[in-house]
Amino acid sequence: MQEGGEPQGIEVASKRPLFGASADELRAWIAEQGHKPYRAKQIQQWAFHRRAKTFADMTDVPLDLRKKLDAEWTLFATELAYRGIADDGTDKLLLRCRDGRNIECVSMSDPPRRTVCISTQVGCGMGCVFCASGLKGVERNLTSAEIFDQVLQAQSLLPPGESITHVVVMGMGESLANLDNLLVALDRFCSPEDGLGMSQRRVTISTVGLPAKIRKLAGMDRQYHLAVSLHAPTEALRDELVPVNEKVGLAAVMAAADEYFQITGRQVTYEYVLLGGVNDRREHATALGKLLKGRKAHVNLIPYNTVAGLPFQRPEPDDVRRFVETVRRFGVAVTVRRTKGREIDAACGQLRRRLEAPSEPVAIGSRP
């Protein structure tokens, strides 16, 4: 199923996204309007749990306050420009920012889990040669409101009774390159008072491996899970597949990941996209096993999801099985990620902020 339509225009640029303000700022603004600060909690309940589309929907909020909210604020920081729903329940949203740039996020259903994969940048500057997100480079970091809004948008589209249970920061962009804005958004989202109250342990931050930023995150007293996008077990091969490695170095990435585990006690996941005939041979599996042997680590193998215009191929199932068996011989835990949303280009590595031609035009921002 696909939904979309011609843009109807982002709301007046002078309006401030509601969740671009801190909870304290919102309460202070409400008090300035002559209302009790507890009204902020009512508004948050409407946004998160009662799926309000507009401030007018918030019927137990005083009418004059709703009018003032509508005059000065927007409920969403982005606008829904396209929605694609796969047969497996994966829901891809293309969101239009207030400056007209596009980003994508993906909501995945695996009952009782409901996970949303969010982006942190418009595009990506890391240059991984097999990934669609960086084909046009990076344009800018997302604001904390734009990061937060992806969860809000995904939550608002869920069926009654369902809620977002997990967040993975694995969409467009290098997460740690926008760490400050990301943490503002995630901390607000995990707040029991001013967000959904999700446990930090249900949030995973993925990075291609920026050692200084990994150490910074480790020292910030959070319990977010760290996933390192490894993709190659040797310096030479990683230089080819992940160009930023030439400046960073695999050894430095591994040392920073080790430090993250030592400080936080959180096991590090190593993501490894299997490219047919490129990094999926027995010698690669052996090198990966040796690299991770003795570390408290988990490998998440991701069979490549093809991207139009790129030369890489998905590995053969037998090659995947042999790779898993070889790595496990070194005592390393391995799982193979189940592909979801590939038919709508919503699988890992396929997000590219492209507005598809919809087969069933609907009004932008419409909610089923």
Side-chain angles (χ1 to χ4, degrees), residues 125-137:
M126 296 297 102
C128 298
V129 298
F130 48 83
C131 182
S133 296
L135 288 176
K136 296 181 181 179

Side-chain angles (χ1 to χ4, degrees), residues 20-37:
S22 70
D24 286 341
E25 287 174 326
L26 178 59
R27 283 189 282 267
W29 180 86
I30 289 173
E32 290 173 1
Q33 312 311 309
H35 291 273
K36 299 293 185 182

Side-chain angles (χ1 to χ4, degrees), residues 168-183:
V168 292
V169 191
M170 297 182 181
M172 296 163 50
E174 163 52 48
S175 305
L176 298 190
N178 193 14
L179 179 59
D180 291 342
N181 285 343
L182 174 62
L183 287 180

Side-chain angles (χ1 to χ4, degrees), residues 165-232:
T165 62
H166 294 74
V167 172
V168 292
V169 191
M170 297 182 181
M172 296 163 50
E174 163 52 48
S175 305
L176 298 190
N178 193 14
L179 179 59
D180 291 342
N181 285 343
L182 174 62
L183 287 180
V184 170
L186 292 180
D187 289 352
R188 181 73 181 277
F189 181 60
C190 292
S191 168
E193 294 297 324
D194 302 302
L196 283 181
M198 177 181 293
S199 168
Q200 291 184 2
R201 290 174 175 262
R202 291 189 173 189
V203 174
T204 299
I205 299 175
S206 177
T207 176
V208 77
L210 304 181
K213 293 296 183 71
I214 291 174
R215 291 189 172 91
K216 179 178 178 179
L217 179 61
M220 298 186 76
D221 194 26
R222 306 297 200 281
Q223 286 294 298
Y224 298 129
H225 186 63
L226 181 70
V228 175
S229 296
L230 198 60
H231 308 317

Side-chain angles (χ1 to χ4, degrees), residues 230-235 237 250 254 272 274 278-295 299 301 319-332 334:
L230 198 60
H231 308 317
T234 65
E235 292 281 10
L237 183 56
L250 179 58
M254 299 305 298
Y272 192 106
L274 285 167
V278 177
N279 66 350
D280 65 339
R281 305 293 89 183
R282 190 182 301 276
E283 60 267 28
H284 302 129
T286 299
L288 182 61
K290 290 180 178 179
L291 178 67
L292 298 179
K293 183 179 180 179
R295 284 183 159 97
V299 174
L301 292 177
D319 291 333
V320 175
R321 284 193 290 272
R322 281 192 291 268
F323 198 98
V324 170
E325 292 169 358
T326 301
V327 175
R328 284 177 176 167
R329 292 194 188 109
F330 291 88
V332 179
V334 183

Side-chain angles (χ1 to χ4, degrees), residues 6 15 58 81 123 127 151 196 231 265 293 305 314 335 355-356:
E6 290 301 318
K15 292 185 179 181
M58 303 178 180
V151 177
L196 283 181
H231 308 317
K293 183 179 180 179
N305 299 300
R314 195 172 176 87
T335 56
L355 183 60
E356 305 290 352

Side-chain angles (χ1 to χ4, degrees), residues 87-313:
D87 291 340
D88 62 13
T90 300
D91 200 346
K92 182 173 77 167
L93 307 181
L94 187 142
L95 304 175
R96 182 150 299 152
C97 300
R98 292 155 66 87
D99 63 0
R101 291 179 170 86
N102 295 329
I103 58 174
E104 291 185 341
C105 64
V106 178
S107 180
M108 297 163 285
S109 180
D110 188 15
R113 293 170 65 112
R114 188 74 185 201
T115 302
V116 61
C117 175
I118 63 174
S119 300
T120 55
Q121 295 179 310
V122 180
C124 184
M126 296 297 102
C128 298
V129 298
F130 48 83
C131 182
S133 296
L135 288 176
K136 296 181 181 179
V138 63
E139 295 186 31
R140 66 170 174 84
N141 285 336
L142 297 183
T143 66
S144 60
E146 290 166 337
I147 297 171
F148 185 94
D149 201 62
Q150 295 169 68
V151 177
L152 187 64
Q153 292 272 18
Q155 174 87 345
S156 72
L157 292 171
L158 293 182
E162 288 194 22
S163 299
I164 297 296
T165 62
H166 294 74
V167 172
V168 292
V169 191
M170 297 182 181
M172 296 163 50
E174 163 52 48
S175 305
L176 298 190
N178 193 14
L179 179 59
D180 291 342
N181 285 343
L182 174 62
L183 287 180
V184 170
L186 292 180
D187 289 352
R188 181 73 181 277
F189 181 60
C190 292
S191 168
E193 294 297 324
D194 302 302
L196 283 181
M198 177 181 293
S199 168
Q200 291 184 2
R201 290 174 175 262
R202 291 189 173 189
V203 174
T204 299
I205 299 175
S206 177
T207 176
V208 77
L210 304 181
K213 293 296 183 71
I214 291 174
R215 291 189 172 91
K216 179 178 178 179
L217 179 61
M220 298 186 76
D221 194 26
R222 306 297 200 281
Q223 286 294 298
Y224 298 129
H225 186 63
L226 181 70
V228 175
S229 296
L230 198 60
H231 308 317
T234 65
E235 292 281 10
L237 183 56
R238 197 166 195 262
D239 285 349
E240 292 181 23
L241 300 180
V242 186
V244 71
N245 192 69
E246 294 183 12
K247 297 180 180 179
V248 176
L250 179 58
V253 172
M254 299 305 298
D258 290 343
E259 189 171 328
Y260 189 87
F261 169 69
Q262 293 164 4
I263 293 174
T264 67
R266 303 289 284 147
Q267 175 180 269
V268 176
T269 294
Y270 292 90
E271 298 171 297
Y272 192 106
V273 171
L274 285 167
L275 305 166
V278 177
N279 66 350
D280 65 339
R281 305 293 89 183
R282 190 182 301 276
E283 60 267 28
H284 302 129
T286 299
L288 182 61
K290 290 180 178 179
L291 178 67
L292 298 179
K293 183 179 180 179
R295 284 183 159 97
K296 181 69 173 175
H298 182 95
V299 174
N300 187 8
L301 292 177
I302 308 166
Y304 180 65
N305 299 300
T306 55
V307 174
L310 296 182
F312 303 101
Q313 300 296 321

